[in-house]
Structure formats: C-alpha cells, structure tokens
Amino acid sequence: MSKLNTSSCVVGVQWGDEGKGKIVDILSQKADLVVRFQGGGNAGHTVVVDGEKHVLHLIPSGILHKSVCVIANGVVVDLIQLLDEMEEIRKRGIKLDGRIFLSDRAHVVMPYHKFLDKCSETTAGNGKIGTTQRGIGPCYADKAARKGLRVADLYNEEFFKERVFAFTAEKNKILQALYGAEPLDPQRIVDEYRGYAQKLQPFVTDAVELVNGAIDKGRRVLFEGAQGSLLDIDFGTYPFVTSSNSDACGISSGTGVPPKKIGKILGVAKAYCTRVGEGPFPTELTDDLGQKLREIGGEYGATTGRPRRCGWFDGVTSRHSVQINGIDEVAITKLDVLSGLDEIKFAVAYQHNGSKTERMPTDTKVLAQCRPVYKTFKGWKEDLSKVKKYEDLPKAAKIYLNFLERYLKVKVTMVSVGKDREKTIHRK
Ligand code: IMP
C-alpha cells in the first residue's frame, strides 16, 4: 500500500469521478484524520465494502474505518444534506460522536444558493455549465463577496437572523426579476436553520487547531480532494469548472494547514477519462466505443445520475495536473474496464491550427478545437479482476502503464481492477 506521510493528500488528476473515494477508503485504514478541504455536496464518492455500496457526498470516506473525519473551512456545507448523510451512516451502525467534526469557519449553503443555482442553470441556454445544482457556485460567490454565512454565525442568533433577512431580501429581488420566481421566506429559513444548528452543535469545532494539532503530534492526516484538478477554478477548464481549488493548491486555504506541512500528494486517474457536465474534452469518444466504456465502467454520476462523457486517457491535461499539484505518485483506477479492447489510445499531444503542442491551452475555446495526437497500444483480453500483483498483469497492460508513468514522470503505485476494496493492486 502507498505509504502515508504525516500529512498526505489524495487529488483527482482529471475532471472528477476518478475513484478517489475508493483510494481514500483504502488509505484511511492507516490515517488518524481524514480531512475534506473544498467543494461540497456536489461530490459523490462511491465506496464498495463487502459488496455493499456507500455513496458519500460531504463526509470523508474515512468514516467507514476508524479515522476521525473533518469537514474543514474550505468546504461549503448544505446542513440538510450533512444531517441526512450522518443519519444514513448511523443506520449502518457507525457511531459519530468524536468521529466527525465540522469547522466553525465553513460556509453554509443556504436555500437561496440552491435555488439560484437551479434557476441560473435552467435558463442559461448555451452558457450552461452543467452544474450539480447543489448551490456550490452561488455559495462560494457569496463567500468571496463577503455575504456568506459561516457555521459559527449559526450560534449568534441575532446576527444570524439579521444577515438572513438582509441576504434573502436581496436574493428575492434577483430571483423575482431574473427568473420570475416566488420569494423565499427569511423567517422560515431562520427557524429551520436554528434546528439544524442545534443538531450539529456537538460536532462543530475550531478545525484549524484540530488538524494542525494532529500533524504536530505526528498523527497521520489524509486530505481528501473532491472533484478533480481540471475542474479547479484557477487551473481547470474555466468557466467549465467548479467554484473551488479542487487540487492540492486548495489544501492550505481550505484547512489552515500551511503549505510546508503538506507531505505526499497522491494523484488518482482513471485508465481512460470521463467528464460530466459541459466543457471541452479533447479525447472524448462520441461513438459506440464511448458508449461501451460508459456501460462497462458504470459511468453515471454518483450525485446526479447523469451519464458521464467517456474518452481516452489524455496525457496533456494529466501532465498539467501533475505540475500544478506536484503529484508524487499515481493510482490508476478502472484498468479492468479496458479489458477486451483491440487497441487503446493515449493522447500525447494536441494539434491546433496546424501546429502541435504538449501544453494544455488556457483558452477553453482553443482547447475545444484541439485534436488529440494519439499513441496506440495493443489491448488485452484477460479479465483483471482477480489479479493481485502488478507483475501478474497482462504484458499489454504493463506496457500501457509503463508508458503512462514515463509520460507523466510519476510512479504508478496502486492499480484498481474492480469496485471492491480488495480489488486493488499495491505495487511494491
Ligand atoms: P458545481 O460544482 O455543481 O458547480 O458544477 C460545476 C462543474 O463541476 C459541472 O461540470 C459538474 O458536473 C462538475 N462537478 C462538480 N462536482 C463533481 C464531481 O464530484 N465529480 C465530477 N464532476 C463534478
């Protein structure tokens, strides 16, 4: 198994859905703390334990082991969703006291954030981002505009009420003028949120002290990234991105742990590539092969159920991710899905306007016009689901992975060949 440093991090190399949930679940067997640092209920981490499927949106996958789970300040939290998820976990016999902590600095996703996200997406026409409609963008926008509400504010009743009334009045004007929507009732919001605040109070803490303190004491802390690096608000395929720093760059601002305390960075990438929502995807397969990958790989969103767009592994965008994250090691997931194909392609460069580039263009319109330059590999027919050792993988699969390592200049230390925890090859 990949060795954990005092502090390590798992991030997605592509556009999310790389299978980070499974990798975090495995690594959290050895982690004292697992910390979410960005995103919110837009994430959907699927973990299969003993054939039973668990889908987590806000709570780190470490909850299925013994780790203490922290939702840090960089996360935007839908309190209703968090309480529902906590209830689901309790029903599975897992006790939550002392196991889950919520940062008092985290921002709260309010009803008007979700409403605005839905209205804006459904009326945007061609300008649509294809969001999960969980209120993520509007909540981060309010945070930056200094019109957000933090978890700590829930416990200052007068202040909370005053802010909710002011913000709801403003949002109601927007909702009515732009979308002809019914206004929201601020008093109802205040009453409802008072109840949520009471239920969550035992879990609320100063997470800056909790996480830094754990690292200082030599405890093993694992930071769990949500979404993927290509959805990062600064370094992804803007504007078709999420609203947070969904790569390792987000850890410090999302937790209060300084950069010099962050140790190993493990990137997770699928053996091919997928994307949900709008935006450029140069290696997308819109033909029968794309459909075949979707079916074999079960490529449907864990949060929204939307079919994922599928395509070949894109070395160009992945190299960009390796660079911005400083990835030390890679875990390759879903290698088993490629079994049975005659040939497998890997994008080594792009062709645009007659010239060739190995850099991901910043201009999203240019990226959308790029044609991938592929290196083609021989496929393999063997079923990989029972392979336990890297050496036992089919020769063609090893050639493919060796090339990927050389291209990205990063070692592949884990290979996932099936949904279950056990179906993972740990490379020595
Ligand atoms: P938002 O994060 O809901 O605002 O959505 C912005 C973009 O990020 C859309 O293309 C979503 O499909 C995508 N996205 C958000 N969360 C995830 C995720 O967990 N996996 C994959 N894509 C995501």
Side-chain angles (χ1 to χ4, degrees):
M1 188 185 301
S2 177
K3 241 178 104 204
L4 290 187
N5 286 12
T6 306
S7 84
S8 306
C9 159
V10 169
V11 285
V13 171
Q14 297 154 328
W15 281 285
D17 307 316
E18 298 92 348
K20 296 178 293 295
K22 174 177 167 174
I23 302 298
V24 171
D25 170 64
I26 293 170
L27 296 180
S28 57
Q29 292 174 57
K30 296 214 168 148
D32 299 302
L33 247 75
V34 184
V35 185
R36 265 287 298 272
F37 57 91
Q38 47 72 229
N42 48 352
H45 292 164
T46 309
V47 182
V48 180
V49 185
D50 299 329
E52 197 185 351
K53 188 171 157 187
H54 306 255
V55 182
L56 299 159
H57 299 281
L58 277 163
I59 299 177
S61 319
I63 200 68
L64 304 173
H65 290 286
K66 298 224 163 5
S67 341
V68 167
C69 293
V70 182
I71 298 172
N73 61 281
V75 179
V76 288
V77 187
D78 179 343
L79 305 183
I80 309 169
Q81 196 181 11
L82 176 59
L83 286 164
D84 282 351
E85 209 168 311
M86 287 167 77
E87 200 42 44
E88 274 302 307
I89 290 171
R90 277 196 197 98
K91 278 193 206 144
R92 291 171 191 256
I94 298 173
K95 291 208 173 64
L96 296 181
D97 294 340
R99 293 284 318 283
I100 290 189
F101 289 99
L102 171 61
S103 166
D104 52 5
R105 289 182 168 86
H107 277 247
V108 178
V109 176
M110 299 299 289
Y112 45 77
H113 291 139
K114 290 188 268 187
F115 202 16
L116 280 168
D117 198 357
K118 270 199 189 81
C119 291
S120 136
E121 278 290 284
T122 43
T123 57
N126 286 343
K128 183 172 145 194
I129 309 279
T131 74
T132 58
Q133 302 190 10
R134 298 294 191 271
I136 307 298
C139 186
Y140 277 116
D142 273 351
K143 173 178 176 176
R146 288 137 310 160
K147 290 181 177 177
L149 285 157
R150 303 193 296 173
V151 169
D153 301 332
L154 294 164
Y155 303 99
N156 185 339
E157 284 203 23
E158 219 169 290
F159 176 76
F160 184 72
K161 183 172 175 176
E162 189 188 299
R163 304 276 277 182
V164 170
F165 270 74
F167 298 153
T168 310
E170 185 186 301
K171 303 296 187 218
N172 277 343
K173 281 189 193 149
I174 298 172
L175 284 163
Q176 277 170 314
L178 293 185
Y179 311 112
E182 286 294 307
L184 296 165
D185 175 359
Q187 186 60 51
R188 219 170 127 180
I189 299 176
V190 170
D191 294 341
E192 219 182 283
Y193 277 64
R194 190 180 295 127
Y196 305 143
Q198 273 168 9
K199 287 191 188 155
L200 285 169
Q201 196 155 25
F203 303 96
V204 174
T205 195
D206 173 358
V208 173
E209 175 59 22
L210 177 71
V211 182
N212 276 291
I215 295 175
D216 295 344
K217 285 186 200 121
R219 304 256 154 81
R220 278 164 304 186
V221 176
L222 182 63
F223 297 100
E224 173 177 346
Q227 290 82 49
S229 302
L230 302 176
L231 287 173
D232 181 277
I233 182 117
D234 285 288
F235 305 111
T237 49
Y238 193 91
F240 302 102
V241 291
T242 192
S243 301
S244 61
N245 285 116
S246 50
D247 48 39
C249 307
I251 301 176
S252 287
S253 60
T255 60
V257 172
K260 66 180 178 189
K261 278 192 187 171
I262 299 160
K264 186 157 77 179
I265 313 285
L266 177 77
V268 184
K270 264 181 205 164
Y272 48 101
C273 195
T274 63
R275 170 164 209 171
V276 226
E278 308 303 314
F281 180 1
T283 61
E284 182 172 11
L285 291 164
T286 49
D287 55 7
D288 289 350
L289 188 52
Q291 179 63 21
K292 188 171 168 185
L293 285 176
R294 186 173 308 117
E295 292 314 320
I296 302 174
E299 297 295 357
Y300 294 89
T303 301
T304 58
R306 289 179 292 177
R308 295 178 185 143
R309 299 156 65 192
C310 299
W312 296 120
F313 191 94
D314 186 343
V316 180
T317 49
S318 302
R319 248 191 198 162
H320 172 73
S321 294
V322 169
Q323 184 173 50
I324 58 172
N325 283 289
I327 290 176
D328 299 300
E329 295 175 10
V330 174
I332 294 294
T333 58
K334 294 197 159 183
L335 188 66
D336 53 305
V337 174
L338 297 183
S339 286
L341 299 181
D342 293 329
E343 53 182 34
I344 292 164
K345 294 188 181 187
F346 181 114
V348 290
Y350 295 148
Q351 196 76 41
H352 182 257
N353 272 353
S355 52
K356 200 171 148 186
T357 176
E358 289 187 12
R359 288 286 305 160
M360 179 178 125
T362 302
D363 187 332
T364 303
K365 285 205 173 60
V366 173
L367 180 62
Q369 290 158 1
C370 283
R371 297 286 150 256
V373 177
Y374 286 119
K375 181 169 170 64
T376 303
F377 293 85
K378 237 178 97 185
W380 59 88
K381 301 285 172 216
E382 293 90 330
D383 167 19
L384 305 186
S385 64
K386 297 207 169 53
V387 179
K388 299 258 183 263
K389 288 197 262 170
Y390 192 85
E391 301 74 57
D392 296 340
L393 283 169
K395 191 171 164 213
K398 280 189 283 194
I399 291 174
Y400 178 65
L401 292 178
N402 288 346
F403 178 80
L404 184 149
E405 278 187 324
R406 284 203 309 280
Y407 187 89
L408 297 183
K409 298 196 178 72
V410 190
K411 194 96 191 142
V412 173
T413 54
M414 294 168 90
V415 181
S416 169
V417 288
K419 285 186 189 142
D420 231 290
R421 245 183 216 166
E422 284 65 42
K423 300 208 166 160
T424 312
I425 299 169
H426 299 277
R427 195 163 172 208
K428 300 232 169 62

